[in-house]
Amino acid sequence: MIDGVLPTISTYAANAGTKTITLTTANSETVTGSPANGDFSVLVGSASNAVTNVAVSGSTITLTVTNTIANDATVTVGYTKSDTSSEQITDAAGNALATLSSAQTVTVTNDGTAPTISSVTSSSSDDTYKIGDTVNVQVVFSEDVAVTTTNGTPTLTLETGTSDRAVSYSSGSGSDTLIFAYTVQSGDTSADLDYKGTTSLALNNGTIKDLAGNTATLTLNDPTDSDTTNSLADNKAIVFDGVLPTISTLAADGGSADIVLTLSETVTGAPETSDFTVLVGGNSKSVSSISDVSSATDTVTLTLASVIPNDSVVTLDYARNDTDAKKLSDGAGNYLASVGEPKTVVVTDDNTAPSVVSIAGTNSTTQLTQLVRQLTW
């Protein structure tokens, strides 16, 4: 049998939101070959969309292009037959697909489904995070989305205690997962981090669309509903501790060498005596020792080299050590800040006069007389 009929392409089709164009031969004729990418030219509007791969299988020729095809795009395909026989597309009889005399229009099927939010999670570990730590919150969509920030950057509002924080989009455009990176600030608190509410994801004059151009639906699952699934708190166990430990009270007894610091929360550390500056009546008094703070405690006792007299005006300053291990820190790792402005120590006077408990010895009467003279001198 003689087959002198050249294979031809009968349909050119693409789905919006993809990078694929499918060419189908007339009468579903089977063809083979290994054409070069450059044998095909694709235009979207008037702009080139280069072919990155060609696959020939059965009656279809599948082109993969560089950029995603949007809804309502005007797409055309051109083909130039190669001079190299192995790169030509041929039927079973060896007839080669001819060069197209003109670019052919591709039928684009629009994608009418808007992307939705599947879940909110985090790539950061379940843990407690202190001031300065960064947590990556991930908003996962039902399909790949593209973010534009020309006129504004989308934000995600987190529930972080007294002041809720709007976190700007960081990365992820072109994938199904957008990253919102947040650095814990002073005052942030959360026992189980979550976003604020169902409308916490805001465009802020930016855009979030799927690759076909459909604007994403930004509604989040209600984080206040106990039955909610796939919220940030449902998927992760992230704690924010953005509260620095502070010195609440400073106390000393007259006649004692100890100053007791009570802190706002338990701390650990190994501060040096030189980290503290104590003035008694305007005169510097050295700290000779500090109580053990290797285990969590909310009190730290400083022992001075000499006792504190009644009615003394005592102040204390603390300068945080440069060495991390010597800093006082809470369970999250927040460091007790330097005092800066010396704090006043409340001194409780010792108003109990000393008295003679007993006198022993062979010359007790003489000793008593001498003691009375000393006490009344």
Side-chain angles (χ1 to χ4, degrees):
M1 176 183 288
I2 297 174
D3 179 358
V5 180
L6 299 179
T8 59
I9 305 297
S10 59
T11 62
Y12 302 78
N15 289 322
T18 72
K19 298 180 179 181
T20 302
I21 299 172
T22 303
L23 316 183
T24 305
T25 58
N27 301 315
S28 298
E29 184 177 13
T30 298
V31 291
T32 58
S34 301
N37 297 340
D39 294 345
F40 292 88
S41 60
V42 175
L43 293 180
V44 178
S46 59
S48 174
N49 193 351
V51 175
T52 60
N53 187 68
V54 181
V56 180
S57 177
S59 60
T60 62
I61 303 164
T62 305
L63 310 181
T64 302
V65 294
T66 303
N67 300 313
T68 302
I69 299 168
N71 282 345
D72 301 316
T74 299
V75 183
T76 59
V77 173
Y79 170 69
T80 302
K81 185 178 70 174
S82 175
D83 292 333
T84 304
S85 58
S86 62
E87 295 181 355
Q88 295 174 358
I89 300 172
T90 59
D91 62 15
N95 299 304
L97 179 68
T99 296
L100 294 175
S101 59
S102 61
Q104 299 298 299
T105 299
V106 176
T107 299
V108 176
T109 300
N110 284 344
D111 171 9
T113 303
T116 58
I117 296 171
S118 302
S119 67
V120 181
T121 184
S122 175
S123 59
S124 301
S125 302
D126 291 343
D127 207 343
T128 298
Y129 292 86
K130 66 181 185 302
I131 296 171
D133 289 342
T134 297
V135 171
N136 290 321
V137 179
Q138 299 173 310
V139 179
V140 183
F141 286 84
S142 57
E143 58 180 304
D144 291 349
V145 293
V147 181
T148 59
T149 58
T150 304
N151 297 316
T153 302
T155 60
L156 178 68
T157 300
L158 300 179
E159 171 59 72
T160 52
T162 304
S163 298
D164 298 322
R165 308 294 189 184
V167 188
S168 294
Y169 157 77
S170 300
S171 61
S173 183
S175 73
D176 66 352
T177 302
L178 303 184
I179 307 299
F180 295 76
Y182 179 66
T183 301
V184 181
Q185 301 180 50
S186 178
D188 290 349
T189 58
S190 177
D192 191 1
L193 184 66
D194 215 334
Y195 47 83
K196 178 68 175 177
T198 58
T199 59
S200 289
L201 181 58
L203 291 177
N204 191 34
N205 294 321
T207 67
I208 302 175
K209 299 180 178 182
D210 67 15
L211 304 186
N214 297 300
T215 298
T217 300
L218 304 183
T219 304
L220 296 158
N221 291 342
D222 187 356
T224 64
D225 186 342
S226 60
D227 294 327
T228 289
T229 59
N230 284 323
S231 67
L232 179 56
D234 179 57
N235 289 322
K236 301 293 293 186
I238 291 174
V239 177
F240 277 1
D241 180 353
V243 179
L244 295 174
T246 58
I247 299 173
S248 303
T249 62
L250 306 88
D253 291 329
S256 169
D258 291 341
I259 298 176
V260 178
L261 313 182
T262 302
L263 306 179
S264 59
E265 58 182 306
T266 59
V267 296
T268 58
E272 295 184 339
T273 56
S274 59
D275 296 340
F276 297 90
T277 300
V278 177
L279 296 181
V280 177
N283 298 312
S284 178
K285 296 294 182 181
S286 61
V287 177
S288 60
S289 65
I290 303 173
S291 60
D292 183 15
V293 199
S294 59
S295 297
T297 179
D298 62 358
T299 60
V300 179
T301 301
L302 311 181
T303 301
L304 307 183
S306 57
V307 299
I308 299 170
N310 282 347
D311 301 318
S312 293
V313 176
V314 181
T315 60
L316 179 143
D317 197 0
Y318 167 71
R320 190 170 65 195
N321 203 290
D322 291 333
T323 303
D324 287 350
K326 295 180 179 180
K327 299 173 182 177
L328 291 169
S329 62
D330 63 16
N334 296 304
Y335 297 124
L336 177 67
S338 297
V339 171
E341 184 71 26
K343 291 180 174 289
T344 299
V345 178
V346 177
V347 178
T348 301
D349 287 345
D350 176 6
N351 294 317
T352 302
S355 60
V356 178
V357 177
S358 65
I359 297 176
T362 56
N363 299 315
S364 58
T365 301
T366 301
Q367 291 173 344
L368 176 60
T369 301
Q370 292 174 343
L371 177 60
V372 169
R373 288 174 178 171
Q374 292 173 358
L375 292 176
T376 57
W377 180 254

